[in-house]
Amino acid sequence: MKFKLFYFILVACFLVISNGCDSSSETETNPINNLVANPDFMFNTTITVSLEFQSTLSGASIGGAYLEIFDALPGENSNLLLQAYTDDQGSFSHNITLPASKTSIFLVNANRDFFEFEVIRLDDLTGSVTGSFNSPYNSSSREAPAWSYSTSPYYSTIYSETYDENAAAWNNDTSDMFGCFLGNTCIGVTGGIYPGATLLPDNRVLFTTIMYLPNTSSHLINFRYYDASENQVYLMDSWQYVTAAENLGNTQNPYEFYYGSWNMMPDAYLISCSSPGVGQYGMLAFEDNWPQQGDYDINDLVIYGNFSYYVTEMVGDDYTGYFEIAYKVAAIGASYTIGFAIQFPENFQLSNITSSNGLSYVEADNRTVVFCDNVRDFLPGAGGGFINTQQGQTHFDAEYDTVTFDFYYNSEMRMVMMPWYEPPYNPFIFTNGVRSHEIHPADYPPTELADLNLWGTMDDTSIPDEWRYYRTENNLPWVFMLPIAAPYPLERTSILDAYPYFDDWVESPWEYEDWYLDLPGQRNPENLYSPPGK
């Protein structure tokens, strides 16, 4: 009898201990359970900023003025977001996607003059910038601008020649003149009878060689090209920061620049826009257990991508052009089969899709792009387990796939100013080959193919009539979007343990909008996946 009683007590203690371990484990992997978000907070780390600019000179509007938009002072830590021209009346208006933590943008005109504009924050999701800029060298005179310059202690070696097809020879071009600038101060003029820069036959690509000896720190050097036959100054499309300790070349080894001319965009309405910036990549991170909450390690699928589009024709506020979307699968921390897609707004019509891997297609609605039905196809040979979420395991580095397609944009069909009207639009995944099992960002609408019967089941609290989609009881989402290719948490590591300020951002969005940046105390490297060698 005593033995049976002892055995019963032993089993009971074991069960209590086991349940305690399970409870502790669940709390450890789901600290997110204690986080409650505002039901109106959409977890956007970017805002849509409407731009309204006017190009003027001495009070008069200047049509066809070139402009660029940067998210910071142009240099190593800035991103080029947009290139465009003003219309015939000197006006330009467009929307861009900007990190919510940014408080200003920089406009650069064709003469490399910088104009900083404050972003007026309207609400959690939108902002606006209004202002004017000038183009001082777009002169009506056929004379070269009155540039004053000195050569000491600066030296430039630039060649100006054009190709004579009849003579099959290179000759000096007396219509062209080049200026070497520091900021807005010309320090050397060349061209025509002067030694100058080599201009290729199509007059679009310029090679320059320079010997530059700065005598003070932090110069900004660039080149301007004056074409007397067009009476227009052009700036080459790059520039260089230089300090006194960083001479650019010498008499034995000149420093070489490669430039394309600013006048390469023939249409005055042409726009090119890139999000999060030219050559930069943002991040899409998905939890795949919807309508169950999951563990919030946000690595079930991680995509790094860049959205660029080019407007080739405009009629009023409507325009046509094409997209180039470069993306790669960075991680798969799931056992499910996952498909990846993006739905564009109802005012877009898409066509003529091509992709470097041949896996992408446009659905019948002509506005939903399915990039792939199974993201593992991007990582052949990786197998069916977790990929790039466990430190010490084999790392698989996928190539960036490029998807291009044409679009028509109808401005009159745009209904509201919501974040899915701008890049990255409305990204979503579907699981286990079931196209209707869609998982979208919080409050982003589903497609017409979504299974509505899943809403309001398990941990999902969607209420379509109240425009509430893909939220838990605590108003948390299943999808996260960042404007940088940030590191993601390790397998079964909560985002709270990887990014200490994530919960602060959720509770006070405007105070912690940079929570994901690599700033002191904002990341826990031991809880973030790091590819070998990094």
Side-chain angles (χ1 to χ4, degrees), residues 435-453:
R435 173 60 184 81
S436 61
H437 194 111
E438 300 180 1
I439 306 175
H440 293 253
D443 292 344
Y444 280 47
T447 77
E448 295 178 354
L449 300 180
D451 183 356
L452 311 187
N453 294 319

Side-chain angles (χ1 to χ4, degrees), residues 492-513:
R492 296 190 177 91
T493 299
S494 169
I495 187 174
L496 292 175
D497 294 325
Y499 288 93
Y501 286 93
F502 174 79
D503 54 344
D504 297 280
W505 171 61
V506 172
E507 294 169 350
S508 302
W510 285 39
E511 295 181 31
Y512 296 93
E513 290 179 321

Side-chain angles (χ1 to χ4, degrees), residues 6-223:
F6 174 77
Y7 178 78
F8 174 78
I9 293 173
L10 182 63
V11 171
C13 290
F14 175 77
L15 291 174
V16 169
I17 293 172
S18 297
N19 287 336
C21 289
D22 289 343
S23 175
S24 173
S25 175
E26 183 178 344
T27 302
E28 224 172 88
T29 56
N30 287 280
I32 203 88
N33 290 342
N34 299 319
L35 182 61
V36 179
N38 185 302
D40 296 324
F41 181 51
M42 295 182 66
F43 294 84
N44 286 85
T45 54
T46 60
I47 60 174
T48 298
V49 178
S50 60
L51 306 177
E52 296 285 345
F53 290 118
Q54 190 73 28
S55 177
T56 62
L57 178 63
S58 301
S61 296
I62 302 297
Y66 182 77
L67 62 97
E68 292 181 343
I69 301 296
F70 290 81
D71 64 359
L73 181 67
E76 293 182 0
N77 296 317
S78 64
N79 295 320
L80 173 60
L81 306 177
L82 179 143
Q83 296 170 278
Y85 287 97
T86 62
D87 63 18
D88 291 341
Q89 287 72 48
S91 299
F92 176 77
S93 61
H94 202 68
N95 293 333
I96 60 172
T97 302
L98 191 69
S101 59
K102 297 291 185 180
T103 58
S104 65
I105 62 170
F106 285 80
L107 184 150
V108 180
N109 68 6
N111 303 298
R112 226 59 209 158
D113 302 312
F114 303 155
F115 303 85
E116 183 177 9
F117 295 94
E118 179 185 3
V119 175
I120 305 300
R121 193 68 175 267
L122 303 179
D123 52 40
D124 285 351
L125 302 174
T126 61
S128 67
V129 174
T130 304
S132 63
F133 68 100
N134 53 29
S135 302
Y137 293 115
N138 289 2
S139 162
S140 60
S141 168
R142 295 197 59 81
E143 298 295 326
W147 289 332
S148 61
Y149 64 94
S150 62
T151 57
S152 178
Y154 310 105
Y155 306 87
S156 61
T157 56
I158 310 175
Y159 303 94
S160 176
E161 297 177 325
T162 55
Y163 189 71
D164 185 335
E165 293 185 358
N166 294 326
W170 290 89
N171 298 317
N172 287 337
D173 185 350
T174 56
S175 296
D176 297 337
M177 177 166 40
F178 291 83
C180 179
F181 277 67
L182 284 177
N184 290 321
T185 303
C186 183
I187 59 168
V189 173
T190 61
I193 61 174
Y194 303 99
T198 303
L199 199 64
L200 297 186
D202 62 5
N203 279 357
R204 295 199 310 172
V205 181
L206 175 72
F207 290 89
T208 65
T209 345
I210 177 173
M211 289 179 289
Y212 172 60
L213 307 175
N215 63 341
T216 58
S217 63
S218 192
H219 287 295
L220 183 66
I221 188 169
N222 56 57
F223 292 87

Side-chain angles (χ1 to χ4, degrees), residues 405-422:
F405 48 89
D406 297 332
F407 72 87
Y408 168 69
Y409 177 91
N410 186 330
S411 60
E412 293 184 359
M413 289 182 62
R414 178 161 183 161
M415 303 300 180
V416 291
M417 179 73 88
M418 295 302 287
W420 57 82
Y421 278 83
E422 304 296 336

Side-chain angles (χ1 to χ4, degrees), residues 287-294 296 336 431 437-439 451 453-462 470-473 476 478:
E287 283 286 314
D288 69 347
N289 281 331
W290 181 86
Q292 287 183 294
Q293 179 175 285
Y296 277 91
Y336 291 155
T431 60
H437 194 111
E438 300 180 1
I439 306 175
D451 183 356
N453 294 319
L454 293 173
W455 291 343
T457 65
M458 305 183 81
D459 295 319
D460 178 74
T461 61
S462 297
Y470 302 100
R471 288 184 182 268
T472 68
E473 183 181 6
L476 302 179
W478 276 264

Side-chain angles (χ1 to χ4, degrees), residues 322-340:
Y322 63 94
F323 274 92
E324 284 185 355
I325 300 178
Y327 72 103
K328 78 171 182 178
V329 175
I332 303 174
S335 56
Y336 291 155
T337 298
I338 300 177
F340 170 58

